[in-house]
Amino acid sequence: MAELGTLLDAWRAELGAWAIPEHISSAVADSPWVLPRQVFARRADRLNAAPSGPSYDRAWAALAPRGSVLDVGAGAGAACLPLLGRTTGLTAVDSDAGMLDLLAERAAAQGVTARCVRGNWPQAAGEVPAADVVTCHHVLYNVPAPAPFVAALTAHARRLVVTEMTASHPLMALNPLWLKFHGLRRPVGPTAADLLRILDAMGLQPGHQRWRRPGGADYASFDELTDVTRRRLCLPPERAGEVADALVEAGADPGRPADFGSSGREVVTIWWPGGVT
């Protein structure tokens, strides 16, 4: 327990270091923690049209025989929609009502009525039933206290919990731009390896696989990518041109704009047995 406490303290501290200094965030009207719903929707559509990768494979295999799915931090459905062919029932939890609307529309188009619960996990855990498979993709870097979060995932899974996250913090790719525009050195941790150590210390004996998810044109235009990046960097609209130039210098392709985050980066699939008997 002492080791687990040390690991959890380090995780919380490293995530806390990502806070943006108040003098930078207060200088602009736009929130840097932008959630571009249209980008999440395009990504969900792309992954649903051509499911692949270890995260999908693990969850799909666990749904034989067919079973229910609970998707936590579901967004527009990138994790759960590809599983509908083996799903007997779908529950989705997310704090953003607009995201849940996007997911529900897409599930309905495939003949499935999704039960959508707006709320934060694990606070919303009491509002949802257990499921055969629990998915949770690209959420854990937003969780300063992973132990109760993970425990609630486990307590809601009969067969398997499948999570996916980038190997390093998804916004780390923007670190050079923070240095360029603000002279600010951003953190480099925590990492998926740190979470695996926490899961081991919790006694979950997780399996994991590191792989590379192919990137995709999740942004409708380079201007859209530029605008989202500008907001993330706490820069005003009149500096959009500078951001566009910096993105090109950093390797962004204006003809195929992909997110400077989880899209196309090294990811880790992590899974462990459910706790429902």
Side-chain angles (χ1 to χ4, degrees):
M1 292 302 295
E3 179 194 9
L4 176 59
T6 299
L7 292 170
L8 291 171
D9 287 345
W11 178 273
R12 180 185 291 274
E14 289 191 88
L15 277 187
W18 283 93
I20 297 171
E22 197 275 336
H23 73 276
I24 293 178
S25 61
S26 64
V28 291
D30 298 321
S31 169
W33 309 114
V34 58
L35 284 173
R37 292 184 185 130
Q38 68 279 11
V39 174
F40 281 79
R42 291 188 199 106
R43 187 170 301 158
D45 290 340
R46 175 169 56 84
L47 297 179
N48 190 33
S52 65
S55 303
Y56 165 75
D57 292 341
R58 288 281 169 182
W60 184 257
L63 288 170
R66 287 162 53 88
S68 56
V69 171
L70 167 63
D71 193 2
V72 174
C80 62
L81 292 178
L83 303 174
L84 290 184
R86 286 188 177 175
T87 300
T88 57
L90 171 62
T91 302
V93 179
D94 201 279
S95 60
D96 189 290
M99 292 287 194
L100 290 173
D101 288 342
L102 292 170
L103 185 154
E105 291 170 5
R106 283 158 173 75
Q110 293 182 239
V112 175
T113 300
R115 177 182 179 183
C116 294
V117 177
R118 183 183 180 187
N120 294 309
W121 192 268
Q123 291 82 358
E127 301 178 40
V128 300
D132 292 304
V133 172
V134 174
T135 56
C136 183
H137 287 198
H138 301 283
V139 175
L140 283 155
Y141 285 119
N142 295 320
V143 180
F149 188 100
V150 165
L153 294 178
T154 307
H156 276 71
R158 280 186 284 267
R159 301 179 190 171
L160 197 68
V161 179
V162 182
T163 69
E164 181 179 301
M165 63 194 300
T166 48
S168 56
H169 195 286
L171 294 181
M172 202 173 76
L174 293 179
N175 284 9
L177 299 187
W178 277 101
L179 188 61
K180 175 183 179 68
F181 287 107
H182 295 289
L184 183 67
R185 294 192 180 277
R186 301 295 277 152
V188 295
T191 67
D194 296 321
L195 182 73
L196 282 166
R197 282 189 280 271
I198 289 171
L199 298 176
D200 278 331
M202 291 177 67
L204 294 174
Q205 299 181 319
H208 73 280
Q209 183 174 346
R210 183 167 176 155
W211 56 291
R212 188 172 183 84
R213 182 180 286 286
D218 298 326
Y219 286 79
S221 67
F222 186 61
D223 286 343
E224 185 179 56
L225 171 62
T226 298
D227 185 64
V228 169
T229 306
R230 173 191 66 76
R231 291 168 183 256
R232 284 176 171 166
L233 292 171
C234 293
L235 294 171
E238 56 267 24
R239 301 195 68 180
E242 296 174 64
V243 174
D245 291 342
L247 283 170
V248 172
E249 290 174 9
D253 181 358
R256 196 170 184 268
D259 195 7
F260 263 50
S262 60
S263 179
R265 295 196 47 188
E266 294 292 329
V267 297
V268 182
T269 298
I270 305 172
W271 64 90
W272 62 91
V276 180
T277 56

